[in-house]
Amino acid sequence: MGKTTGFLEYKRAERPCAEPAERIEDFREFHGELSQRERQLQGARCMSCGVPFCQSGFGCPLHNLIPEWNDEIFNGNWTHALDRLLKTNSFPEFTGRVCPALCETACTCGLDGEPVSIRDNELALVEYGYANGLISPKPPAVRTDRQVAVIGSGPAGLAAADRLNQRGHQVTVFEQDDRVGGLLMYGIPNMKLDKSVIDRRVRRMEAEGVTFRTGVQIGRDMTGPALLEAYDAVVLCCGAREPRSVAYENASATGVYQALDYLTASTKAVLAGTESDCSARGKRVVIIGNGDTATDCVATAVRQGAVSVTQLVRKPAPDGAVRVWPYSARTGAPDYGQEEAIARYGHDPRLYETVAKRLETDENGVLTAVTVDTAGQEQTLPAELLLLAAGFSGAETLAPESFGLALDERGRLGCGDGFATENEKIFVAGDMRRGASLVAIAIAEGRACAKAVDEYLEGYTNLQ
């Protein structure tokens, strides 16, 4: 424990954040950094609980050694703190930016006060490591003759590839998109996760011996049997990208997009310095959904210059009550996207107890309006852009079918409690195995799957 009374003496502090009206002018990350001294004081707030819920099943899916590295931060031992962090988390530069910080909702300090700013400390540690040369390529000293193919380069695929490469296996990662990262690259907007952060990690993995092949879709550009012949093991980490079906007449109208397609095109445009073909600029935008993807759509549309943004939420408005610890987040508070819409348009974009009933088009099949039902009252919302962010129904079928594998009724490649499929050479991890989930959970899945693959290849494993 860093300081016995630290949680009583120091108040919670978070990374400074640009004001909504300022940050909507571009797609850059909008959080600053606290000084090292301020970070030390936040580390001092960690109580080193007898039962640290932050790293238990209530908190971190990766079981990060949070009290340990907070103690090291407080004592100024940043190198030791980074070592403790990297023992359990392959990519803290990702989770430190996009994780919803389940560790903080489980923090004992939050029982009667404010939780420790764990996520910010995590990000500060890894960025300190990069800035001070503590994180650099470390190729394995010994190589095996085992060849492993990892299909998909999202957080699960990258984590599995990283661990298997560290073990000495020859790893090739296949990605269907033009850039590595999966949903980290094209599903999460740049202002939440700058793509240079992903590129930095990929360059390090390449220097350590991992091979990446982009623009390769399994089942189209390469078959499952061909991969099984060429590799000793295959790890499927294809995600759960199949959108949940929404049955509307005129759903194929010009101006109607699945949220992930919209976000992908928008990020590609940001990286290219161009305007997306489905940009919200000058349009009235309606978004169906209330999850993180819908919020990302709100924030992206605001930055693109939408005339208006309306978000349809099926559920009633929350009462603002605080959930019982260890899930102590206040419900219904505006997320970053809603904050930005309020700054631009002067009101919360969410319409509660509202569902879309009909899509109106002109004679050319172009979207003109969305008729909605709000608590029994119909109204028509003019719209030139409709974004469907109703969630995901499971994995896409092309890759598993190429391997002769079938998805279950929930669109997952089920394999019980483990990671091996009915074919002993094929393993599965991440959203494809368990359904759409969090980046931290996907990383944990990839790490655990790598251990199972290594044991299959070698007959034993020393991966933790």
Side-chain angles (χ1 to χ4, degrees):
M1 186 172 186
K3 187 171 185 180
T4 307
T5 57
F7 70 100
L8 297 173
E9 295 181 32
Y10 309 120
K11 294 183 178 179
R12 175 182 169 91
E14 301 178 0
R15 292 183 295 155
C17 178
E19 292 297 320
E22 173 187 347
R23 68 195 193 219
I24 60 178
E25 297 303 319
D26 56 54
F27 283 85
R28 291 180 295 181
E29 288 188 5
F30 51 82
H31 286 96
E33 296 294 337
L34 295 176
S35 68
Q36 284 195 36
R37 175 58 180 165
E38 290 171 316
R39 284 276 129 247
Q40 285 181 275
L41 297 183
Q42 291 310 300
R45 296 185 69 241
C46 183
M47 299 169 65
S48 191
C49 311
V51 179
F53 293 98
C54 58
Q55 67 185 54
S56 73
F58 288 117
C60 179
L62 288 158
H63 303 294
N64 284 338
L65 306 174
I66 294 165
E68 295 185 26
W69 46 256
N70 270 326
D71 175 57
E72 297 288 2
I73 288 175
F74 170 69
N75 287 295
N77 299 323
W78 284 69
T79 300
H80 294 317
L82 180 63
D83 288 341
R84 305 310 291 167
L85 173 60
L86 295 179
K87 281 184 70 69
T88 57
N89 191 346
S90 300
F91 311 120
E93 64 267 48
F94 302 156
T95 54
R97 287 174 165 86
V98 304
C99 184
L102 302 179
C103 52
E104 294 185 16
T105 65
C107 176
T108 305
C109 278
L111 180 59
D112 185 23
E114 292 293 320
V116 176
S117 53
I118 299 168
R119 177 179 56 194
D120 286 357
N121 277 5
E122 177 181 307
L123 181 58
L125 269 180
V126 69
E127 292 301 330
Y128 174 88
Y130 274 110
N132 289 275
L134 301 176
I135 299 178
S136 59
K138 294 179 175 62
V142 178
R143 284 286 180 188
T144 73
D145 60 353
R146 305 293 188 173
Q147 301 280 339
V148 182
V150 176
I151 315 304
S153 66
L158 290 178
D162 181 58
R163 297 287 283 166
L164 289 166
N165 180 68
Q166 290 174 8
R167 187 69 169 91
H169 304 308
Q170 303 284 346
V171 181
T172 301
V173 180
F174 295 86
E175 169 57 51
Q176 65 179 357
D177 287 327
D178 60 337
R179 295 173 68 118
V180 174
L183 291 188
L184 293 170
M185 178 60 67
Y186 287 135
I188 298 175
N190 201 72
M191 57 276 192
K192 288 176 67 176
L193 175 59
D194 192 281
K195 305 316 168 189
S196 64
V197 175
I198 304 171
D199 293 339
R200 178 180 65 183
R201 172 59 71 164
V202 170
R203 287 195 299 271
R204 178 186 166 193
M205 292 178 66
E206 287 178 325
E208 292 175 337
V210 178
T211 299
F212 292 94
R213 293 183 58 184
T214 57
V216 180
Q217 187 171 28
I218 306 305
R220 182 195 65 191
D221 305 306
M222 184 174 289
T223 67
L227 280 169
L228 289 174
E229 183 176 349
Y231 292 88
D232 298 296
V234 175
V235 183
L236 297 177
C237 300
C238 305
R241 300 163 59 113
E242 188 67 28
R244 183 172 290 126
S245 60
V246 181
Y248 296 120
E249 187 178 352
N250 300 324
S252 60
T254 301
V256 180
Y257 293 91
Q258 292 291 341
L260 184 56
D261 294 338
Y262 167 73
L263 292 174
T264 297
S266 298
T267 296
K268 287 184 175 182
V270 169
L271 294 174
T274 60
E275 180 109 318
S276 168
D277 292 338
C278 54
S279 172
R281 185 173 305 282
K283 298 175 183 176
R284 291 164 291 190
V285 181
V286 174
I287 299 166
I288 297 176
N290 192 39
D292 291 339
T293 301
T295 295
D296 292 340
C297 288
V298 172
T300 300
V302 169
R303 282 168 173 74
Q304 289 177 339
V307 172
S308 65
V309 176
T310 304
Q311 184 180 353
L312 309 185
V313 181
R314 177 175 51 83
K315 297 180 179 180
D319 57 12
V322 177
R323 297 184 186 133
V324 177
W325 179 89
Y327 300 104
S328 55
R330 183 174 295 277
T331 61
D335 204 338
Y336 85 104
Q338 288 78 38
E339 290 177 345
E340 293 166 357
I342 292 169
R344 172 63 61 85
Y345 309 113
H347 61 85
D348 195 315
R350 293 173 289 187
L351 288 181
Y352 289 100
E353 295 186 78
T354 301
V355 295
K357 303 293 288 186
R358 296 185 303 278
L359 310 185
E360 315 293 345
T361 63
D362 63 15
E363 62 276 8
N364 297 316
V366 178
L367 180 73
T368 58
V370 180
T371 298
V372 303
D373 182 308
T374 303
Q377 299 294 319
E378 277 199 3
Q379 60 174 315
T380 299
L381 305 174
E384 292 80 36
L385 181 62
L386 174 65
L387 303 177
L388 305 176
F392 302 94
S393 62
E396 296 171 323
T397 61
L398 188 60
E401 286 180 350
S402 185
F403 287 100
L405 301 172
L407 303 177
D408 65 16
E409 67 279 0
R410 295 178 59 185
R412 304 170 304 181
L413 191 55
C415 51
D417 295 330
F419 299 90
T421 67
E422 59 197 64
N423 186 321
E424 65 173 9
K425 291 183 66 173
I426 305 175
F427 297 77
V428 60
D431 290 358
M432 191 175 200
R433 188 181 86 97
R434 61 181 298 141
S437 190
L438 304 175
V439 169
I441 292 177
I443 294 173
E445 286 262 314
R447 290 172 62 92
C449 182
K451 182 177 180 180
V453 174
D454 185 47
E455 187 168 11
Y456 163 73
L457 293 175
E458 299 295 323
Y460 74 102
T461 182
N462 60 10
L463 293 177
Q464 300 298 315

